[in-house]
Amino acid sequence: MTDRQPFIFDTDPGQDDAVAILFALGAREQIDLLALTTVAGNVPVSYTTRNARVICDWAGRQDVPVYAGSDRPLLRPLVTAEEVHGKTGLDGVEIHDPVTPQQDGHAVDFIIDTLRAAAPASVTLCPVGPLTNIALALAKAPDIVAGIKEIVLMGGTYFEAGNITPAAEFNIYVDPHAAEIVLGAGVPITMLPLDVTHKACITGSRIDKLRSLPNRAGKLVADILTSYARFDTQKFGLEGGPLHDPCVVAYLIKPELFKGRQVNVQVETASALTLGATVVDWWGTTGLPANVNWITEIDAEGFYAQLTDSLATLP
Ligand code: RIB
Ligand code: CA
């Protein structure tokens, strides 16, 4: 990526969200972060919003607008993930009362207003939590598709098993109806599913490299990932926790680190057994048009080098 790209980061921090936000804030030459919009997911929206503000403080970026968004999915009851991220949503580190202000107004209205004012196909939306805010914006103001360059999201699973049920990945499972609206929006979509994020696991040596950075951000991220890795190591038998959301930021900065395929993706919104499953037509058997660039491969060493370089620029 050469010039700075404007984007909106829609997030449910969440430990991996926190690393992704710091990653983005450290990459100021490539990324013009218009705002953080928060959504209920890993923890309730009051916590995800407080956490987004805390993370901006950590980066010395009290200028970043933070808008609170949806407190529940479109139709489903909210499912959270405190068992992974802790009650605060940022297990592993102390939480302070944030200085970064919460902006007035709802996140969905900010997304609509920003896209309506934007140049055609100029803004990238980066949801890394349940897709509720994005779906509500599309439903309330369908004309905003004109301002969207691309939606680059973390979510879904196909070749990997699910992480919240055998069939589904958490972000899609929490709000499958929102995912259905987003997948049908008719704008370019890149999805980074568990198929690729499970190939970018944090390891002890990678945590040590982050901890050795001569700044606060390196130690904060090392502490967060030490706590975060515990859950996934036990659950998936992986060497460390998969860094889901930071994969979105790496894709924005250096898409050549990834490989995928244009495919048709649909989401299950009815079956109790497979609710939230992302059904990927990998071999084109349906003849349906491709609506998603589905990412399956990553250069993990290149990803961690990019992440470490970006975090090194923070306070
Ligand atoms: O399934 C992983 C996703 O769910 C990540 O975005 C994580 O933060 C949680 O939101
Ligand atoms: Ca997330």
Side-chain angles (χ1 to χ4, degrees), residues 13-14 43-44 47-48 50-51 82 85-93 95:
V43 287
Y47 285 73
T48 61
R50 188 251 347 246
N51 293 345
E82 283 88 350
H85 300 270
K87 181 146 180 30
T88 66
L90 291 176
D91 238 12
V93 287
I95 306 287

Side-chain angles (χ1 to χ4, degrees), residues 40-44 70-81 130 132 164 170-177 269 275:
N42 286 317
V43 287
S70 308
D71 64 357
R72 75 199 70 178
L74 297 183
L75 298 176
R76 300 267 311 149
L78 177 61
V79 171
T80 54
T132 317
I164 183 77
F170 179 82
N171 289 339
I172 307 301
Y173 175 77
V174 168
D175 200 339
H177 303 94
T269 58
L275 186 73

Side-chain angles (χ1 to χ4, degrees), residues 45-296:
V45 71
S46 58
Y47 285 73
T48 61
T49 305
R50 188 251 347 246
N51 293 345
R53 297 169 58 205
V54 164
I55 296 159
C56 289
D57 284 0
W58 288 343
R61 292 293 310 278
Q62 288 85 357
D63 61 298
V64 175
V66 176
Y67 288 87
S70 308
D71 64 357
R72 75 199 70 178
L74 297 183
L75 298 176
R76 300 267 311 149
L78 177 61
V79 171
T80 54
E82 283 88 350
E83 74 282 2
V84 178
H85 300 270
K87 181 146 180 30
T88 66
L90 291 176
D91 238 12
V93 287
E94 286 298 310
I95 306 287
H96 65 277
D97 283 337
V99 172
T100 300
Q102 176 183 331
Q103 300 298 313
D104 294 336
H106 195 282
V108 170
D109 294 323
F110 167 80
I111 292 169
I112 292 169
D113 295 344
T114 302
L115 289 172
R116 279 180 167 160
S122 63
V123 177
T124 301
L125 301 181
C126 297
V128 292
L131 293 165
T132 317
N133 289 338
I134 312 301
L136 282 171
L138 289 165
K140 186 175 179 185
D143 58 289
I144 62 172
V145 297
I148 299 174
K149 176 180 181 183
E150 185 177 14
I151 298 176
V152 181
L153 71 93
M154 190 279 139
T157 189
Y158 187 63
F159 295 106
E160 273 291 306
N163 61 0
I164 183 77
T165 72
E169 176 279 326
F170 179 82
N171 289 339
I172 307 301
Y173 175 77
V174 168
D175 200 339
H177 303 94
E180 186 173 54
I181 289 172
V182 172
L183 288 172
V187 297
I189 298 174
T190 292
M191 288 181 77
L192 290 106
L194 300 184
D195 302 6
V196 67
T197 66
H198 277 207
K199 295 172 183 172
C201 288
I202 192 70
T203 59
S205 60
R206 286 168 174 159
I207 290 179
D208 293 344
K209 210 175 274 183
L210 293 168
R211 192 176 297 285
S212 68
L213 289 175
N215 62 358
R216 179 182 57 183
K219 287 162 188 59
L220 279 167
V221 168
D223 289 344
I224 289 171
L225 294 182
T226 301
S227 161
Y228 175 74
R230 154 195 50 75
F231 179 86
D232 285 300
T233 306
Q234 287 160 9
K235 179 171 180 176
F236 299 111
L238 296 169
E239 192 189 347
L243 275 202
H244 306 291
D245 297 343
C247 286
V248 166
V249 179
Y251 181 83
L252 286 175
I253 297 171
K254 212 169 181 180
E256 57 272 25
L257 292 174
F258 299 86
K259 283 199 183 83
R261 180 184 292 190
Q262 288 289 345
V263 290
N264 181 268
V265 179
Q266 298 182 69
V267 58
E268 176 59 61
T269 58
S271 158
L273 178 62
T274 59
L275 186 73
T278 39
V279 181
V280 176
D281 185 4
W282 191 252
W283 301 112
T285 57
T286 65
L288 292 172
N291 56 340
V292 171
N293 174 25
W294 184 268
I295 303 297
T296 55

